[in-house]
Amino acid sequence: ELFSDFASGHTMNRLVQGDVGSGKTAIAFYAMYCMDANGYQSVMMAPTEILAQQHFEAAKKIFPEERVICLTSNLTGKQKRELHKRAEDGSATVIIGTHALLYGNISYPNLGLVITDEQHRFGVKQRAELKNSGQGIHTLVMSATPIPRSLSLVLFGQTDISVVDELPPGRK
């Protein structure tokens, strides 16, 4: 479904819903891989620093480490400036972080995809802020428990939905 969305010529706006551990993050990394392979940047926003760090560590196993960065509020000013520079010059193509991604006036020269993990933990304006930083940016939101507003967007045709209804091996 993601590949079809990317190839359609239209901007993707998709909700991926599935239980914890069902593979939503793997789907998100596939989407980021597609963007990276085609010269675009991706941003993944997670609600907590622990989750952002988990995504960052997993991403470093998939993507060249020099292209992956993690922005959180616990970084020093010097660290933030360095990571902002890498995002702005395009050398970082896989950008993972927390709400810190919304602050500091970061510009992304070639942003193609915005992913929001646990989208119910962010406000409407927060989720829209990154997407509105350019034209034609694909959006992927992930949730185990979609909020009513997200479900209404699905019902009224503004968002497509993908449901991961399988569990990992060994999980009951």
Side-chain angles (χ1 to χ4, degrees):
E1 291 170 333
L2 292 176
F3 185 77
S4 294
D5 287 344
F6 293 152
S8 73
H10 297 95
T11 303
M12 177 183 74
N13 196 18
R14 181 169 294 280
L15 165 68
V16 175
Q17 190 272 320
D19 288 342
V20 173
S22 65
K24 296 182 300 290
T25 303
I27 291 167
F29 283 161
Y30 169 75
M32 294 174 96
Y33 177 82
C34 289
M35 288 292 122
D36 186 61
N38 286 285
Y40 291 97
Q41 292 174 299
S42 299
V43 171
M44 178 187 268
M45 190 166 58
T48 66
E49 185 166 345
I50 291 171
L51 187 55
Q53 284 294 330
Q54 288 173 343
H55 290 329
F56 175 61
E57 293 302 322
K60 290 191 305 185
K61 295 175 184 173
I62 298 169
F63 301 96
E65 197 167 328
E66 66 275 4
R67 294 205 309 251
V68 182
I69 62 173
C70 185
L71 286 166
T72 64
S73 61
N74 283 346
L75 299 173
T76 66
K78 181 180 178 184
Q79 290 170 319
K80 287 178 188 175
R81 285 189 296 277
E82 173 60 30
L83 295 179
H84 287 197
K85 181 179 179 279
R86 290 182 57 207
E88 290 175 350
D89 70 13
S91 62
T93 57
V94 176
I95 300 139
I96 298 169
T98 59
H99 293 80
L101 293 167
L102 303 173
Y103 308 108
N105 297 322
I106 308 169
S107 64
Y108 304 96
N110 207 16
L111 186 59
L113 174 67
V114 172
I115 300 169
T116 307
D117 193 6
E118 295 190 30
Q119 55 88 30
H120 60 280
R121 306 269 301 268
F122 295 94
V124 173
K125 289 182 182 177
Q126 289 175 320
R127 291 194 311 262
E129 191 167 325
L130 285 170
K131 184 181 189 236
N132 293 334
S133 62
Q135 297 258 333
I137 298 173
H138 298 287
T139 303
L140 180 67
V141 295
M142 302 186 302
S143 183
T145 55
I147 60 173
R149 182 180 188 285
S150 297
L151 293 176
S152 70
L153 290 172
V154 170
L155 289 173
F156 293 109
Q158 297 169 332
T159 302
D160 295 314
I161 187 168
S162 297
V163 177
V164 182
D165 58 1
E166 298 175 10
L167 294 176
R171 183 142 174 236
K172 296 180 181 180

